[in-house]
Amino acid sequence: MHGTKGLAKQIEAEPNFNATVYANSEISLRELERARLLLEESEQIGWFEKAFEPPYEGQVLDALKWVIRSKFASSAEWLFTTRPVFSVNLKHAPKGTRVKIQLMGLNEGSQRLLTSSQATAREWVTLDTDAHKDCVWFRKAGDRGSEDTWEIGLQPLWDIDKLASLEKSEHINLGVDISYGDGTTDDRHQVSVKVVPVQNVELGYPLALGFSGLINGGHPWIERILNDINQCSMAKQSGMTAGGGGSAENSFFGVFMLWRELRARGLRYQSLTGTADRNAIQSVRSIEDSLAAKNANCIDGSILFCSFFERMSLQCFLLMPPQHAFVEFFDGENYWELETTWLGKDEECSKEFRASVFEKFPKIKKLAGAFKGQEAKDFNSYLAALEAGWCEKFAEFKRAMEGDPKSKLPPVKALAEVLQQEGTSAERKQEAFDLIRSQYLSLYDLQSARAAGIEPVPIPKKFKSELPPQPARTR
């Protein structure tokens, strides 16, 4: 009988798998997680801060560093208890023991979502090193308890296309087979986990980085719409494009033409998203769902615009205050915040804001002066959405970052320092965490996310939906 003699009997093996597995994270965050998990815990906050340092200057940058550190610190306990997603603890395992752990798919769902019934690479690991190329994570766990406990993280061999195509949650059953160097084996462990579709995003991850996986500038509909815009009469007459490169004026006007196109396609704000549990937001619409259904909530619209900005080679940021999301883009000279939920509104910006835009862009002032009817409405709504992007909550956040004494929020630096001070009570730290979570927005730029290894969820091979035709008024 397996597990009754030799090392298999001496070593207590315990699978440590998350009960819920997020397809989005398993696809888009796997390389980021691999890099983070190979670091000591004490090194991770600094690494995270450096990886996602926004390209600002002065006090704003210093404050944002503190916010990033605090966001990571407030998520650290959750991260350290949920990662790696799949691991096995080996207790009473002598140093130098050779181990091979194999995950096996036991039901139809697991064998469909994995590349085969063999769910992990078959490689031997020796318990005396810090890392192994076939392990997500490998360490001696003595710093968290037993002196002779080791933890080996595993990376299942997913069929990425089928994982990305998952439309509803599915339970998969896995067997954990362990072989030891003395020839004994232990195959007594079976685990069932729930895999949820890519539209479910783990909100517990710092800066809400899981949303990066749903941003995809390579989506075929993104390229098709931008091509349509660049062939339209407005682009030809103005000499402007919705592509990368060129002047700040061209980039700003290119975003306007995108705004105009999406309005013409009937895209409107609608609150649709409901919460699945405390770590996931459900029903985040895909790019094609938002465009086909012609409605999107704040995060759906922000993902959609960031996908266009990525394809347009515009540096862009996802900004997430509590219970909201909007975007920021950099035209090469200026940062602009865009309130995507205003797509369906016919609003006007203030005279002061309009004047500030025209002062920066004299050619656009001339072009806008000739707009009439729907074109004028579209341009006015674009400027209004930019002005609304500088909402009071974001403005207050910026004041706090800049150290403005008139700010109603506690200074960012003071709060973050509380989290770093030795001897600070758990209650006081929790107060600081709660203030940061409730008052300060998450902010990161997509370029940093991509550089850190966060990948877009690929378009499933079965995707064959036809993009609705371009509206006549934007041709």
Side-chain angles (χ1 to χ4, degrees), residues 186-396:
D186 181 354
D187 62 0
R188 296 170 294 177
H189 307 282
Q190 295 186 11
V191 181
S192 177
V193 299
K194 181 173 74 172
V195 183
V196 297
V198 293
Q199 267 61 51
N200 292 259
V201 178
E202 289 183 285
L203 292 182
Y205 211 89
L207 307 184
L209 284 170
F211 289 108
S212 300
L214 298 179
I215 298 170
N216 190 348
H219 193 288
W221 284 14
I222 298 292
E223 185 171 3
R224 170 72 181 277
I225 289 175
L226 290 177
N227 286 339
D228 286 346
I229 293 171
N230 289 331
Q231 295 300 316
C232 75
S233 59
M234 180 179 285
K236 293 177 180 178
Q237 292 169 9
S238 66
M240 305 278 202
T241 66
S247 66
E249 197 164 38
N250 183 92
S251 295
F252 184 90
F253 196 79
V255 176
F256 161 60
M257 290 193 290
L258 169 62
W259 179 266
R260 170 177 175 258
E261 178 72 24
L262 294 181
R263 274 171 58 90
R265 288 180 177 274
L267 198 66
R268 298 293 183 267
Y269 170 74
Q270 183 177 354
S271 181
L272 298 168
T273 299
T275 299
D277 58 47
R278 70 183 184 90
N279 290 328
I281 185 169
Q282 213 160 2
S283 300
V284 179
R285 283 182 177 266
S286 65
I287 291 169
E288 61 270 18
D289 284 345
S290 293
L291 290 170
K294 300 182 180 180
N295 52 47
N297 64 12
C298 60
I299 186 59
D300 303 334
S302 296
I303 287 170
L304 181 64
F305 270 91
C306 282
S307 297
F308 277 105
F309 293 157
E310 182 175 35
R311 185 67 181 85
M312 294 163 70
S313 299
L314 290 176
Q315 186 176 21
C316 62
F317 299 76
L318 186 62
L319 298 94
M320 300 189 71
Q323 308 303 315
H324 189 45
F326 59 111
V327 298
E328 181 180 69
F329 68 91
F330 184 56
D331 64 17
E333 295 179 4
N334 314 281
Y335 292 96
W336 303 94
E337 292 75 37
L338 182 65
E339 179 52 72
T340 66
T341 62
W342 282 41
L343 266 171
K345 296 183 179 181
D346 287 324
E347 301 286 343
E348 297 235 2
C349 68
S350 67
K351 293 180 180 179
E352 294 77 11
F353 186 80
R354 177 183 290 268
S356 69
V357 171
F358 288 162
E359 183 179 1
K360 289 183 175 70
F361 304 130
K363 182 177 179 179
I364 291 178
K365 179 180 180 179
K366 183 178 180 180
L367 289 169
F371 289 159
K372 299 183 184 300
Q374 189 60 50
E375 285 184 353
K377 287 184 179 181
D378 290 341
F379 188 72
N380 290 338
S381 74
Y382 173 57
L383 294 187
L386 291 173
E387 188 173 31
W390 188 266
C391 60
E392 180 56 31
K393 197 170 188 68
F394 185 52
E396 184 64 36

Side-chain angles (χ1 to χ4, degrees), residues 389-456:
W390 188 266
C391 60
E392 180 56 31
K393 197 170 188 68
F394 185 52
E396 184 64 36
F397 173 70
K398 293 277 278 191
R399 285 193 288 269
M401 289 194 299
E402 292 167 350
D404 189 335
K406 296 180 181 179
S407 173
K408 299 175 184 178
L409 295 175
V412 175
K413 187 174 181 179
L415 279 176
E417 285 177 339
V418 168
L419 304 178
Q420 305 298 319
Q421 291 170 356
E422 293 185 9
T424 303
S425 68
E427 292 77 10
R428 181 70 186 95
K429 284 189 175 183
Q430 190 61 52
E431 289 176 5
F433 285 160
D434 291 342
L435 273 172
I436 291 171
R437 286 193 185 105
S438 63
Q439 300 296 324
Y440 295 104
L441 54 76
S442 293
L443 178 154
Y444 69 90
D445 72 293
L446 186 62
Q447 287 183 335
S448 292
R450 296 291 185 245
I454 300 181
E455 302 175 2

Side-chain angles (χ1 to χ4, degrees), residues 133-152:
K133 64 183 178 67
D134 292 301
C135 298
V136 174
W137 196 26
F138 175 74
R139 72 167 187 190
K140 189 171 184 179
D143 57 334
R144 290 193 181 182
S146 173
E147 287 289 334
D148 59 354
T149 298
W150 304 73
E151 184 170 18
I152 298 180

Side-chain angles (χ1 to χ4, degrees), residues 40 61 79 171 223 320 327 389 414 449 457:
E40 295 292 334
L61 176 57
L79 279 173
H171 284 86
E223 185 171 3
M320 300 189 71
V327 298
V457 174

